[in-house]
């Protein structure tokens, strides 16, 4: 038996387990957190008080008091089913959501650092709560009369075909239905959008086309994120303002469902271990970039994205995260890379006294190369002598790298090369230079402004970057000291500035 509460049927009370499940977030809510949770769903005073009055009459158990269903039980209505693994060690039967976590379990609990393939079997899992109260339990999915979809316990391969997952059409799916309109966005992603997103390197060519789609097909919350990116892409391609508004509204709706679930996902233990979590962070980075391109362009429509405001640091993090899952997750979780780590990534060394022209090919336009190679002399004319020699060397290293990355960007006229030339500079020019840039040091801002020429080249290929180079240049000009000679070094980089 169960009860549905609220005009939006947001809350589902499971009488068997005595838990209150949010139908949109698809997990149980602790009684003490209910009021704030309702506010998050924009349930305001009147209805919130009525819901709280209804809930106070119910017996709702604390997370530690909830009895976990025994293995083989049918799925609990309102909770998503995920593919996981059950340990096969004698008298253990621990449950893990990922094979990586299962291997760690064998190392920590059983003292085996390299467990055999038969260390676990694939099972279907659910959990009532997220975060620190997360406890998985095993369920059995019935596929027909008298037949169970539970994996055979003798299956020796924990990475074999995962246990079937609940369809998004089931009551435990997200608050949208699979219909022809939804399939339209999914089809667009698989046939078009997935080829219009960057990857970290050429070897990761199947990342968006295969890996992301496969993960989204078994994780409804990730599917919401995938569909939101697809709808944003359709909006970016559309010349019709009415169609564009419709696509953006759909993108908002999908992204809202995604981000509500994401808040629970990112608070779970071992959040950095799951590939699907890193994909979710990449989706946030892509949507954040597109959000910045759309701000103010569609009156009356609020574009939903993550809460990062447009600043040089958030812009850089988001751009890198679009292609790099590790950077995306670190950026979204606000785990900044240290200066020492960034210096370890730097492979470029300055050969003092050697002209920059000797280190480049003729791939980049001669006018661009000339501008970059003469920039140190022009900067020296308007900048004071640096107090710290490290500032001089950091700026010169960044400019040296920019010359080489410009040559790489123009090595061929395709999207992958344009992205690689742009993104590689961020990895090769960091360390002390990063600290200078984020402190608005004029020398760093000037070099960074010239890197935006590579962003402008990349945005011709990548829809979610459109216009961001000019916007970032405006930000550079805004934070530069009000010195005419200083600003003249960057103001002519793009006609619109």
């Amino acid at each position: 038996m169960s009860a549905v509460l609220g005009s939006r049927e947001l809350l589902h009370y499971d009488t068997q387990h005595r838990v209150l499940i949010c139908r949109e977030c698809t997990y149980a809510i602790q009684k003490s957190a209910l009021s704030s949770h309702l506010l998050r769903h924009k349930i305001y005073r009147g209805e919130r008080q009525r819901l709280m009055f209804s809930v106070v009459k119910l017996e709702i158990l604390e997370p530690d008091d909830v009895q976990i269903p025994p293995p083989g039980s049918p799925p609990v209505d309102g909770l998503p089913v995920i593919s996981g693994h059950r340990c096969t060690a004698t008298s253990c039967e621990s449950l893990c959501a990922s094979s990586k976590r299962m291997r760690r379990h064998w190392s920590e609990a059983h003292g085996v650092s390299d467990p055999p393939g038969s260390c676990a079997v694939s099972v279907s899992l659910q959990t009532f709560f997220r975060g620190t109260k997360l406890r998985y339990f095993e369920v059995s999915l019935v596929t027909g009369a008298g037949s169970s979809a539970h994996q055979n316990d003798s299956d020796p391969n924990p990475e074999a075909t995962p246990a079937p997952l609940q369809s998004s059409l089931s009551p435990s799916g997200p608050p949208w239905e699979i219909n022809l309109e939804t399939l339209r966005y999914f089809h667009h992603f698989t046939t078009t959008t997935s080829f219009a997103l960057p990857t970290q390197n050429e070897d990761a060519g199947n990342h968006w086309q295969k890996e992301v789609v496969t993960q989204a097909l078994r994780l409804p919350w990730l599917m919401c994120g995938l569909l939101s990116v697809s709808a944003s892409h359709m909006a970016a391609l559309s010349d019709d303002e009415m169609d564009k508004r419709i696509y953006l509204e759909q993108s908002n709706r999908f992204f809202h469902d995604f981000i509500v679930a994401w808040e629970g996902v990112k608070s779970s233990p071992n959040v950095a271990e799951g590939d699907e979590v890193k994909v979710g962070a990449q989706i946030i980075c892509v949507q954040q970039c597109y959000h910045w391109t759309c701000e103010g362009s569609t009156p009356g429509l609020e574009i939903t994205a993550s809460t990062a405001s447009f600043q040089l640091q958030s812009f850089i993090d988001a751009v890198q995260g679009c292609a790099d899952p590790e950077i995306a997750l670190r950026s979204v979780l606000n785990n900044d890379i240290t200066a020492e780590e960034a210096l370890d990534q730097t492979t470029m060394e300055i050969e003092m006294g050697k002209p920059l022209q000797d280190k480049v090919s003729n791939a980049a336009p001669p006018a661009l190369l000339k501008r970059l190679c003469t920039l140190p002399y022009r900067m020296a004319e308007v900048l004071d002598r640096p107090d710290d020699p490290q500032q001089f060397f950091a700026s010169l290293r960044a400019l040296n790298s920019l010359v080489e990355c410009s040559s790489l960007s123009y090595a061929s006229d395709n999207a992958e090369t344009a992205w690689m030339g742009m993104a590689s500079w961020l990895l090769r020019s960091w360390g002390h230079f990063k600290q200078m840039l984020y402190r608005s040091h004029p020398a760093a801002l000037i070099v960074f402004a010239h890197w935006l020429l590579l962003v402008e080249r990349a945005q011709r290929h990548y829809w979610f970057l459109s216009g961001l180079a000019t916007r970032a240049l405006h930000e550079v000009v805004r934070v530069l000291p009000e010195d005419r000679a200083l600003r003249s070094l960057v103001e002519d980089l793009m006609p619109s500035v």
Side-chain angles (χ1 to χ4, degrees):
M1 296 179 63
S2 62
V4 177
L5 307 175
S7 59
R8 287 166 44 185
E9 298 186 346
L10 179 69
L11 302 177
H12 162 73
Y13 178 65
D14 188 303
T15 55
Q16 179 181 353
H17 303 98
R18 289 172 287 176
V19 294
L20 192 65
I21 297 172
C22 176
R23 291 162 63 88
E24 289 190 8
C25 297
T26 64
Y27 61 83
I29 309 299
Q30 296 184 54
K31 200 169 185 177
S32 60
L34 179 59
S35 180
S36 59
H37 191 87
L38 293 175
L39 274 174
R40 211 169 83 189
H41 287 290
K42 299 182 179 180
I43 305 295
Y44 297 117
R45 185 174 181 181
E47 185 176 359
R48 190 169 74 252
Q49 288 180 340
R50 288 192 293 272
L51 275 172
M52 296 294 290
F53 181 76
S54 300
V55 169
V56 78
K57 304 176 184 178
L58 302 175
E59 182 185 8
I60 300 177
L61 298 180
E62 292 298 321
D64 293 339
D65 298 327
V66 176
Q67 294 295 313
I68 295 298
S73 299
V76 175
D77 187 25
L79 302 178
V81 179
I82 67 170
S83 180
H85 307 277
R86 170 164 41 86
C87 179
T88 57
T90 305
S91 302
C92 182
E93 298 190 346
S94 292
L95 302 172
C96 298
S98 68
S99 57
K100 183 176 181 179
R101 185 68 187 90
M102 178 57 72
R103 288 192 292 270
R104 177 179 292 183
H105 161 75
W106 269 78
S107 177
E108 295 173 351
H110 305 304
V112 179
S113 58
D114 187 18
S118 58
C119 69
V121 292
S122 298
V123 293
S124 298
L125 303 177
Q126 286 186 307
T127 178
F128 285 110
F129 300 93
R130 305 273 179 89
T132 58
K133 301 299 182 181
L134 182 144
R135 285 191 297 164
Y136 289 116
F137 54 91
E138 183 181 343
V139 297
S140 177
L141 302 181
V142 177
T143 58
S147 65
S148 170
H150 185 69
Q151 290 286 316
N152 191 322
D153 287 358
S154 63
D155 186 351
N157 184 3
E159 302 297 336
T161 303
L165 299 175
Q166 279 186 304
S167 164
S168 296
L169 292 170
S170 71
S172 63
W176 44 268
E177 295 180 352
I178 292 295
N179 51 37
L180 293 179
E181 186 66 18
T182 301
L183 290 176
R184 177 188 183 190
Y185 293 105
F186 181 71
H187 178 264
H188 182 81
F189 185 90
T190 58
T191 60
T192 307
T193 305
S194 61
F195 296 94
L197 294 170
T199 53
Q200 190 175 358
N201 51 60
E202 294 181 358
D203 295 334
N206 289 330
H207 175 66
W208 293 103
Q209 295 88 23
K210 184 177 179 180
E211 295 173 8
V212 174
V213 171
T214 300
Q215 291 168 340
L217 284 172
R218 66 181 183 85
L219 296 171
W221 66 270
L222 194 58
M223 178 62 77
C224 288
L226 179 151
L227 295 174
S228 73
V229 172
S230 178
S232 292
H233 187 213
M234 293 175 73
L237 295 177
S238 177
D239 294 326
D240 185 278
E241 287 302 316
M242 182 61 69
D243 288 345
K244 187 182 188 73
R245 177 179 289 271
I246 291 173
Y247 297 145
L248 288 176
E249 288 174 347
Q250 291 284 10
S251 177
N252 280 357
R253 185 166 64 95
F254 290 131
F255 193 78
H256 172 267
D257 296 339
F258 162 81
I259 210 68
V260 167
W262 167 263
E263 291 300 320
V265 170
K266 74 175 185 179
S267 63
S268 62
N270 306 309
V271 64
E273 294 184 0
D275 290 339
E276 67 277 1
V277 179
K278 296 173 185 176
V279 170
Q282 280 189 277
I283 286 173
I284 291 176
C285 289
V286 171
Q287 287 291 72
Q288 181 66 85
C289 287
Y290 186 63
H291 164 77
W292 287 325
T293 72
C294 290
E295 280 184 346
S297 64
T298 309
L301 182 63
E302 179 183 355
I303 309 300
T304 304
S306 62
T307 57
S309 60
F310 186 88
Q311 298 174 340
L312 294 184
Q313 181 171 353
S314 56
F315 165 66
I316 290 168
D317 289 343
V319 169
Q320 284 188 285
C322 291
D324 191 318
E326 297 288 346
I327 293 179
L329 186 60
R330 186 171 61 236
S331 169
V332 172
L333 297 181
N334 296 317
N335 295 334
D336 196 18
I337 188 170
T338 65
E340 291 75 15
E341 290 173 325
L343 285 172
D344 287 342
Q345 293 176 354
T346 304
T347 58
M348 298 293 297
E349 295 293 338
I350 300 176
E351 297 178 32
M352 298 304 297
K354 189 172 184 179
L356 292 176
Q357 292 93 326
D358 293 348
K359 301 176 73 66
V360 300
S361 66
N362 295 322
L368 173 60
L369 292 178
K370 180 180 179 181
R371 176 165 191 143
L372 295 178
C373 293
T374 60
L375 186 59
Y377 308 103
R378 292 184 289 126
M379 290 172 61
E381 293 175 356
V382 298
L383 289 173
D384 296 331
R385 184 180 182 89
D387 297 329
D388 181 0
Q390 193 175 9
Q391 294 177 352
F392 169 76
F393 294 127
S395 299
L396 191 57
R397 179 184 293 112
L399 184 56
N400 190 69
S401 295
L402 182 56
V403 174
E404 295 195 356
C405 292
S406 297
S407 184
L408 171 60
S409 176
Y410 283 88
S412 62
D413 192 22
N414 60 51
E416 293 78 9
T417 302
W419 183 276
M420 193 62 63
M422 175 197 70
S424 61
W425 182 77
L426 296 175
L427 294 176
R428 304 167 76 184
S429 306
W430 246 208
H432 190 72
F433 181 82
K434 173 183 178 181
Q435 306 305 318
M436 293 173 58
L437 179 62
Y438 293 163
R439 293 170 185 163
S440 300
H441 190 285
L445 288 169
I446 292 171
V447 175
F448 175 81
H450 284 75
W451 170 72
L452 292 174
L453 293 172
L454 301 188
V455 178
E456 184 186 36
R457 176 170 170 78
Q459 72 186 26
R460 300 172 190 173
H461 300 279
Y462 293 99
W463 53 277
F464 55 88
L465 293 180
S466 180
L468 288 186
T470 300
R471 180 165 185 178
L473 187 57
H474 277 288
E475 181 67 12
V476 169
V477 173
R478 186 186 70 81
V479 298
L480 270 174
E482 293 189 9
D483 181 285
R484 185 60 190 165
L486 193 63
R487 294 190 172 195
S488 67
L489 295 177
V490 301
E491 285 182 332
D492 64 335
L493 286 172
M494 296 174 201
S496 58
V497 176

